[in-house]
Amino acid sequence: MTEHHADHRADAEANRLNEIPRIPLNSGYDIPQLGYGVFKVDPAETERLVTEALDVGYRHIDTAAIYGNEEGVGRAIAASGIPRDELFVTTKLWNDRQSGDQPRPALEESLHKLGLAHVDLYLVHWPSPANGHYLNAWTQLVTLNEAGLTRSIGVSNHLVEQLERIEAETGTLPAVNQIELHPAHQQREVVEWSTSRGVRIEAWGPLGQGKYDLFGASAVHDAATAHERSPAQVVLRWHLQKGNIVFPKTVSRERLVENLRVFDFELSDAEVDAISALDPGDGSGRVGAHPNDVN
Ligand SMILES: NC(=O)c1ccc[n+]([C@@H]2O[C@H](COP(=O)([O-])OP(=O)(O)OC[C@H]3O[C@@H](n4cnc5c(N)ncnc54)[C@H](OP(=O)(O)O)[C@@H]3O)[C@@H](O)[C@H]2O)c1
């Protein structure tokens, strides 16, 4: 074999190993298991950062109306020239648009900002139980899905009590439930309820939002040393092996690349279990708001 052929083969092998798996959803569509989340990405920086993310290989972007940066996401997508069907774009309905027939104009505004005819996934962002409209919002999303404005529909931050109501009163299950999930806060009850019904788990704050010393935990640190990876890569790998869909946020190009390089190594069962043991089990590992408190 010539040197050139050997190089070519090595590149092809590297590409295969780095390929992002796709997870099937109950809509018949599938979602890249790893994407780029843009919560707290400055609207003025969003176009540049999403362009960089697409450039280094991301194809799944997670935004929300409330993030105020859908226009930047849209401009980056338009400028990329990437065929629409190769991209997976999620946005979310904010709490103040859940009532009556508000979800439709809310989604239409998001689509306008994104410059898209449809999103791939539209989520009810929080159940907002004090407002009492999440069931209506869900029913409206079912209609928006049928109308083709979104390919899949789901919820975010929903607890078992709300999921059970949705199931009982509408008969339509969400494709995903996007919840706070990282080693110190694994929400086992809601994960078990969801996965047993084919509702996929999207983990927000997959790195704990940097709010506790996750990377210093010995289970993470030891695995990072053993695999010659960064602690962030080990935590993302733990999520992937658990079956979670993740979209870590960063404003650094270097970290965008680092967070994508998680498909060419594997944690042992013992390493996965040691990281899973980091949840104190009493809810005290939560770094964000309680789902019922965002109204
Ligand atoms: N549905 C919801 O209610 C909800 C709530 C929150 C988030 N989300 C979604 O989930 C996405 C991810 O969650 P998140 O942004 O809250 O938190 P996260 O991804 O767990 O953490 C982001 C933090 O980790 C840092 N970081 C990223 N990559 C790193 C690396 N390789 N090494 C060290 N530090 C690293 C980032 O710093 P730098 O930026 O400085 O690199 C940032 O401070 C969001 O962007 C959003 O799309 C949804």
Side-chain angles (χ1 to χ4, degrees):
M1 197 183 332
T2 66
E3 201 179 320
H4 172 77
H5 278 119
D7 281 355
H8 191 71
R9 235 175 55 166
D11 282 354
E13 177 69 358
N15 284 339
R16 190 185 63 74
L17 288 170
N18 288 321
E19 211 167 276
I20 301 173
R22 300 184 73 95
I23 304 273
L25 301 176
N26 65 9
S27 57
Y29 291 97
D30 52 32
I31 182 169
Q33 197 181 359
L34 188 141
Y36 176 42
V38 294
F39 177 45
K40 295 212 166 146
V41 173
D42 182 343
E45 294 289 311
T46 303
E47 180 180 356
R48 177 181 65 79
L49 284 159
V50 174
T51 298
E52 289 194 359
L54 296 173
D55 190 39
V56 302
Y58 289 81
R59 290 294 179 269
H60 164 188
I61 308 294
D62 184 275
T63 184
I66 197 71
Y67 301 169
N69 55 20
E70 289 168 311
E71 284 105 333
V73 172
R75 282 195 296 270
I77 288 173
S80 74
I82 296 169
R84 177 68 185 89
D85 278 355
E86 290 177 22
L87 293 171
F88 193 102
V89 181
T90 299
T91 195
K92 313 184 191 91
L93 174 73
W94 189 242
N95 303 351
D96 61 358
R97 310 295 292 273
Q98 289 187 355
S99 67
D101 55 10
Q102 276 297 297
R104 186 176 186 116
L107 177 52
E108 286 170 347
E109 284 162 33
S110 286
L111 290 172
H112 181 72
K113 289 176 180 169
L114 289 162
L116 299 175
H118 69 269
V119 284
D120 296 281
L121 180 60
Y122 196 46
L123 304 181
V124 179
H125 204 147
W126 294 87
S128 189
N131 294 323
H133 300 304
Y134 68 85
L135 213 53
N136 177 73
W138 179 248
T139 308
Q140 294 280 316
L141 258 60
V142 172
T143 308
L144 296 173
N145 190 20
E146 287 163 0
L149 299 185
T150 177
R151 286 189 161 172
S152 303
I153 50 175
V155 297
S156 180
N157 299 301
H158 280 47
L159 300 170
V160 168
E161 66 211 55
Q162 290 133 7
L163 294 163
E164 279 180 340
R165 238 188 116 196
I166 283 178
E167 184 183 41
E169 297 192 31
T170 75
T172 307
L173 283 169
V176 308
N177 188 13
Q178 181 178 128
I179 55 173
E180 180 188 335
L181 199 165
H182 43 83
H185 190 56
Q186 295 173 45
Q187 304 222 47
R188 293 198 170 105
E189 193 198 0
V190 72
V191 169
E192 164 62 22
W193 192 97
S194 302
T195 53
S196 68
R197 289 164 177 78
V199 178
R200 302 293 181 170
I201 294 296
E202 295 193 325
W204 71 250
L207 303 174
Q209 297 187 322
K211 289 184 178 164
Y212 65 101
D213 189 20
L214 172 59
F215 298 161
S218 60
V220 173
H221 180 265
D222 292 353
T225 306
H227 294 275
E228 298 182 340
R229 295 290 170 145
S230 71
Q233 288 173 316
V234 164
V235 173
L236 293 172
R237 186 69 215 172
W238 172 84
H239 280 286
L240 297 170
Q241 289 183 216
K242 287 280 196 180
N244 300 336
I245 298 159
V246 282
F247 21 83
K249 170 262 175 188
T250 178
V251 293
S252 138
R253 185 183 175 103
E254 219 169 64
R255 286 177 174 176
L256 276 172
V257 172
E258 178 184 328
N259 295 346
L260 202 56
R261 295 280 169 264
V262 287
F263 299 104
D264 56 350
F265 75 106
E266 197 168 354
L267 301 174
S268 68
D269 290 349
E271 287 167 334
V272 168
D273 291 348
I275 296 170
S276 300
L278 294 173
D279 189 334
D282 58 2
S284 63
R286 185 192 302 281
V287 299
H290 187 281
N292 284 342
D293 291 344
V294 181
N295 290 290

